[in-house]
Amino acid sequence: MLGWLKGTPGLLLRTLKDAEWKPLLDFVTPAFFEVMPARALLGQGRELVGNARDRKRFATVRRRMQQGLDELGVPVRLGPPGAGSPPPGLGELAEPERRARGQRVLELYFAQLLAGDVAILDLRPDRFAALGEGGLAWHPGPYYVDWDPGFVDAVRRLYRGFYRDDEGSFQEALADLELQAAGDLFIRHFGEGDQRAVRFDRRTFQRSFHDIFVRCRDTGASLHPNFLALGVYLATLYDHLAELQVPLDVRAAFDRVADG
């Protein structure tokens, strides 16, 4: 199934071999490597691996991230990797608990994307445990990215344009990301309707981003290397929320953080 992972793809995965980068396989497709400059892609992969090995800096990143989450009122407490006891299976939680957990994880996702210049990418379900009053304990692996300012600014404008129904800002952000040819596919990815009851599915995520990469390839677009980190971040998000098997109010999570 992964026989196409040769050349640049294979070299990238060998670069990432020392970390738990399975979520990358949920994101990358052959088309991804056709719209990403090889040198920039490998540079991003090596940066992620270097970050993962710098445990002292990761401790600093966690402290600063906690300050930012506290300021935004997101009830997530960061701890060191691997701390605490294994959480129960998500299937053992009652539906209201799964909905509450999903909303907190979405708020965390948006908080890291909309504020700050660094994001911890590990949102896998086994890295979380419940705290009292709807909060979560988070013990992510040391996988984080320093966003390029121009890239993350455009991604923020993309989300704000979509959720604030600002078509002009949405289209400008797409153009800055060289994604204007895939605008309709991004709207489909964000979800139909008002995004108040979105169900997350891994296969839908994989298919939608494959379609986006194919569209970009066919129109000659070249993507920013931070798309690798953003893809891993989204893959771990979908990995977590798909297990909850409940509809989630994505717009409310965005509004709570953006209006924080």
Side-chain angles (χ1 to χ4, degrees):
M1 182 175 67
L2 299 176
W4 58 273
L5 287 174
K6 300 175 181 178
T8 298
L11 181 57
L12 174 66
L13 292 182
R14 287 194 293 275
T15 299
L16 299 173
K17 68 181 184 303
D18 294 332
E20 299 174 40
W21 291 105
K22 181 183 178 298
L24 180 64
L25 299 180
D26 293 332
F27 171 67
V28 299
T29 71
F32 175 75
F33 293 97
E34 296 181 70
V35 294
M36 182 70 66
R39 181 175 296 179
L41 181 62
L42 289 172
Q44 177 75 108
R46 287 170 177 145
E47 177 187 338
L48 295 176
V49 169
N51 287 348
R53 291 172 177 169
D54 190 344
R55 300 306 175 100
K56 184 177 180 180
R57 182 171 182 240
F58 184 51
T60 300
V61 167
R62 290 201 313 272
R63 286 195 299 271
R64 292 178 178 173
M65 184 64 65
Q66 187 66 69
Q67 293 173 357
L69 294 175
D70 291 344
E71 290 171 3
L72 289 170
V74 178
V76 173
R77 304 302 303 176
L78 267 157
S85 57
L90 296 185
E92 299 176 25
L93 300 178
E95 182 172 330
E97 294 176 290
R98 283 180 279 145
R99 284 179 181 268
R101 178 170 177 145
Q103 292 301 129
R104 294 293 84 76
V105 173
L106 280 168
E107 290 167 10
L108 173 59
Y109 170 80
F110 284 124
Q112 290 202 102
L113 202 57
L114 298 180
D117 53 5
V118 179
I120 301 172
L121 306 176
D122 190 0
L123 301 179
R124 291 173 294 176
D126 63 352
R127 303 300 165 140
F128 291 83
L131 293 177
E133 300 181 356
L136 289 175
W138 183 28
H139 301 284
Y143 316 128
Y144 59 97
V145 64
D146 295 88
W147 296 121
D148 174 80
F151 174 83
V152 76
D153 175 69
V155 171
R156 289 167 181 167
R157 286 185 284 114
L158 185 73
Y159 275 101
R160 289 183 186 276
F162 180 81
Y163 286 108
R164 294 292 186 253
D165 300 315
D166 185 340
E167 179 68 15
S169 294
F170 183 76
Q171 293 298 332
E172 288 177 7
L174 284 172
D176 289 345
L177 293 167
E178 294 195 43
L179 293 169
Q180 58 268 45
D184 59 319
L185 299 177
F186 265 93
I187 291 173
R188 188 188 308 167
H189 165 71
F190 283 140
E192 302 293 338
D194 61 4
Q195 299 81 47
R196 297 290 183 185
V198 178
R199 286 187 176 270
F200 287 79
D201 179 80
R202 296 181 186 90
R203 287 173 295 181
T204 300
F205 165 74
Q206 295 161 1
R207 184 167 55 249
S208 66
F209 269 83
H210 172 72
D211 292 344
I212 288 168
F213 296 142
V214 168
R215 181 76 61 82
C216 291
R217 178 199 66 194
D218 292 347
T219 56
S222 180
L223 299 185
H224 192 284
N226 270 177
F227 268 107
L228 176 64
L230 180 61
V232 172
Y233 193 35
L234 278 164
T236 63
L237 175 72
Y238 270 74
D239 189 49
H240 194 151
L241 300 185
E243 286 198 24
L244 297 174
Q245 299 181 22
V246 290
L248 298 169
D249 191 338
V250 182
R251 186 173 289 269
F254 176 87
D255 288 343
R256 186 172 187 273
V257 172
D259 298 337

